[in-house]
């Protein structure tokens, strides 16, 4: 570590040597000099720590332990012995927060005492506070989407929708018409990002339909794609850009007898249709339906590293489908969960991303 030697090394060679350090070790090393700290923003250095070399987690949040999150390492297939604490995400002057969403390594939290949202990257320790679009402010549901071009926060009240775009650091306001349906059948399921737009499932006390919101112009359109018959609930999930999936219960009189999975398929002429790609085995279906007590507003879905995760607000386990293998599985219950916790389980896909900017 003789500075006379290190000081003469070409910059690209020094970066190459540092890239062999474990990511956690390098992040601790950042405080030693300005150059090491600046590497976190270097594309060449970041490329050496690609997402494939980082672990991926399913994060479990519960209101009775709102400042501590359990982590399931999906790469290793086991629960982590340590927890992620909200204090590791918050700036020094923030005391309380509520985790709302996670997308591509970025956390979105609400800061009730500051009347603001907080977007932060756990790896880089960078954060940005975003003031609520109005005051007083309360929202029905939120969708948070992070892409390579930045991130967006879409929130709705009962009569108005707001969209925040990190590229411009501005809120845009959209007035919802009185006849517009509420953009979700579940308060735990936000919009799904696919092909640059947000997709929502709605029923509005009638047949199910899918709506598409164009963030560029705020236009809300109904998708003219025939849906399967006898649906009892409907959820969408996307792998980000390439594929859109639909999870739904099938039955009569609002009672699901089976659960199926469909994939959106398009032909060369632009026509789209839903193709059935999976059906939940009977015994697993019985367990899941007994778990949610046929109260389907508690059901929500998320995508995590090739898995479609089907979660229930009232149950501490995840039912998931491995897309590559076409198989269904249960994620084991977190061993640190107290038995008395009966509801309030919120799951998130956490993929640490060193290049995700706030």
């Amino acid at each position: 570590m003789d500075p006379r030697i290190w000081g003469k090394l070409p910059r690209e060679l020094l970066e190459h040597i540092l890239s062999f350090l474990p990511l956690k070790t390098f992040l601790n090393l950042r405080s030693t000099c300005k150059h090491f700290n600046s590497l976190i923003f270097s594309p060449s250095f970041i490329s050496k720590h690609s997402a494939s070399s980082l672990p991926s987690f399913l994060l479990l949040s519960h209101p009775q332990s709102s400042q501590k999150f359990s982590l399931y390492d999906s790469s290793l297939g086991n629960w982590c012995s340590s927890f992620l604490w909200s204090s590791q995400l918050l700036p020094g002057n923030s005391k309380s927060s509520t985790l709302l969403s996670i997308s591509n390594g970025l956390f979105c939290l609400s800061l009730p005492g500051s009347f603001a949202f907080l977007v932060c990257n756990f790896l880089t320790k960078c954060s940005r506070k975003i003031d609520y679009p109005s005051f007083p402010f309360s929202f029905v549901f939120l969708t948070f989407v992070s892409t390579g071009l930045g991130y967006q926060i879409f929130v709705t009240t009962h009569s108005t929708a707001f969209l925040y775009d990190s590229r411009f650091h501005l809120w845009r306001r959209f007035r919802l018409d009185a006849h517009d349906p509420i953009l979700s059948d579940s308060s735990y399921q936000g919009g799904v990002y696919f092909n640059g737009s947000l997709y929502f499932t709605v029923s509005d006390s009638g047949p199910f339909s899918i709506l598409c919101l164009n963030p560029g112009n705020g236009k809300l359109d109904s998708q003219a794609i025939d849906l399967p018959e006898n649906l009892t609930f409907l959820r969408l999930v996307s792998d980000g850009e390439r594929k859109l999936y639909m999870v739904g219960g099938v039955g009569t009189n609002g009672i699901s007898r089976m659960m199926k999975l469909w994939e959106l398929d398009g032909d060369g002429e632009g026509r789209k249709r839903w193709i059935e790609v999976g059906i939940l085995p009977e015994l697993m279906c019985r367990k899941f339906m007994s778990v949610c007590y046929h109260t389907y507003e508690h059901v929500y879905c998320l995508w995590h590293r090739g898995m479609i995760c089907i979660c229930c607000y009232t149950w501490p386990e995840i039912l998931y489908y491995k897309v590559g293998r076409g198989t269904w599985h249960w994620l084991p219950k977190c061993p640190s969960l107290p038995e008395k916790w009966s509801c309030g389980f919120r799951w998130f896909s956490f993929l640490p991303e060193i290049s995700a900017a706030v």
Side-chain angles (χ1 to χ4, degrees):
M1 297 299 291
D2 189 335
R4 292 172 296 178
I5 299 175
W6 284 88
K8 294 179 181 179
L9 285 177
R11 181 179 292 258
E12 60 272 14
L13 182 56
L14 177 61
E15 291 186 9
H16 182 69
I17 294 172
L18 292 175
S19 71
F20 287 97
L21 289 173
L23 184 59
K24 183 177 180 180
T25 303
F26 170 74
L27 292 175
N28 292 331
L29 189 65
R30 289 174 55 199
S31 60
T32 59
C33 75
K34 292 182 179 179
H35 175 55
F36 288 0
N37 185 60
S38 67
L39 287 179
I40 204 75
F41 305 106
S42 166
S44 61
F45 183 80
I46 288 173
S47 65
K48 294 182 176 64
H49 286 287
S50 62
S52 60
S53 65
L54 296 174
S56 59
F57 304 96
L58 284 165
L59 182 147
L60 176 59
S61 170
H62 194 276
Q64 290 184 292
S65 183
S66 59
Q67 307 306 310
K68 181 178 71 173
F69 310 118
S70 301
L71 295 171
Y72 179 83
D73 190 329
S74 56
S75 304
L76 300 178
N78 56 33
W79 286 95
C80 300
S81 57
S82 57
F83 300 94
L84 177 65
W85 297 84
S86 62
S87 58
Q88 297 174 279
L89 305 171
L90 300 176
N93 58 349
S94 300
K95 296 182 179 180
S96 64
S97 65
T98 300
L99 178 59
L100 301 175
S101 185
I102 303 175
S103 179
N104 290 332
L106 293 183
F107 286 69
C108 181
L109 307 98
S110 66
L111 304 175
S114 301
F115 307 105
F117 297 110
L118 180 75
V119 176
C120 58
N121 186 322
F122 171 71
L123 286 183
T124 63
K125 304 301 181 184
C126 298
S127 63
R128 178 182 296 274
K129 189 168 74 170
I130 303 167
D131 291 334
Y132 289 160
S134 63
F135 180 80
F137 182 73
S138 62
F139 54 93
V140 178
F141 75 94
L142 173 145
T143 298
F144 176 63
V145 175
S146 172
T147 67
L149 300 176
Y151 58 87
Q152 295 177 329
I153 304 174
F154 179 75
V155 292
T156 65
T157 66
H158 290 287
S159 59
T160 308
F162 297 91
L163 178 69
Y164 178 87
D165 194 320
S166 66
R167 294 174 297 175
F168 312 110
H169 302 301
L170 291 174
W171 285 101
R172 294 168 55 199
R173 179 173 179 169
F174 306 102
R175 192 74 182 178
L176 297 179
D177 295 333
H179 63 273
D180 284 342
I182 296 176
L183 296 180
S184 181
D185 292 320
S186 169
S187 58
Y188 314 111
Q189 178 87 41
V192 172
Y193 183 76
F194 176 68
N195 275 347
S197 297
L198 293 175
Y199 287 75
F200 304 86
T201 60
V202 296
S203 61
D204 199 29
S205 301
F208 288 97
S209 61
I210 297 176
L211 300 181
C212 174
L213 176 73
N214 185 329
N217 55 24
K219 189 176 181 181
L220 189 65
D221 294 317
S222 177
Q223 296 297 290
I225 307 174
D226 292 337
L227 297 176
E229 297 181 348
N230 301 320
L231 290 173
T232 53
F233 73 90
L234 194 61
R235 300 291 180 266
L236 297 176
V237 62
S238 169
D239 64 356
E241 282 290 345
R242 297 178 299 167
K243 294 184 178 181
L244 183 66
Y245 297 92
M246 181 172 68
V247 177
V250 179
T252 56
N253 300 319
I255 303 297
S256 297
R257 303 301 178 189
M258 61 182 67
M259 188 162 67
K260 294 184 177 183
L261 175 68
W262 296 266
E263 179 184 335
L264 185 63
D265 179 68
D267 57 22
E269 299 180 0
R271 292 175 300 212
K272 297 180 179 179
R273 57 177 181 163
W274 291 104
I275 303 296
E276 182 180 317
V277 295
I279 181 169
L280 184 64
E282 183 178 357
L283 290 179
M284 300 180 79
C285 184
R286 288 181 182 179
K287 176 180 177 179
F288 185 81
M289 295 309 167
S290 65
V291 161
C292 61
Y293 303 108
H294 299 287
T295 309
Y296 305 120
E297 61 264 26
H298 292 159
V299 177
Y300 58 100
C301 296
L302 56 93
W303 174 271
H304 178 77
R305 282 287 174 91
M307 304 185 327
I308 296 174
C309 302
I310 307 167
C311 317
C312 184
Y313 188 70
T314 59
W315 190 251
E317 299 177 43
I318 280 183
L319 173 67
Y320 66 93
Y321 177 83
K322 286 190 174 181
V323 174
R325 298 181 180 180
T327 55
W328 297 86
H329 308 268
W330 284 102
L331 190 78
K333 180 181 176 182
C334 178
S336 64
L337 280 182
E339 292 294 333
K340 62 181 179 179
W341 289 3
S342 58
C343 65
F345 303 100
R346 292 298 312 275
W347 294 89
F348 304 91
S349 173
F350 175 33
L351 308 177
E353 178 56 67
I354 196 171
S355 62
V358 300

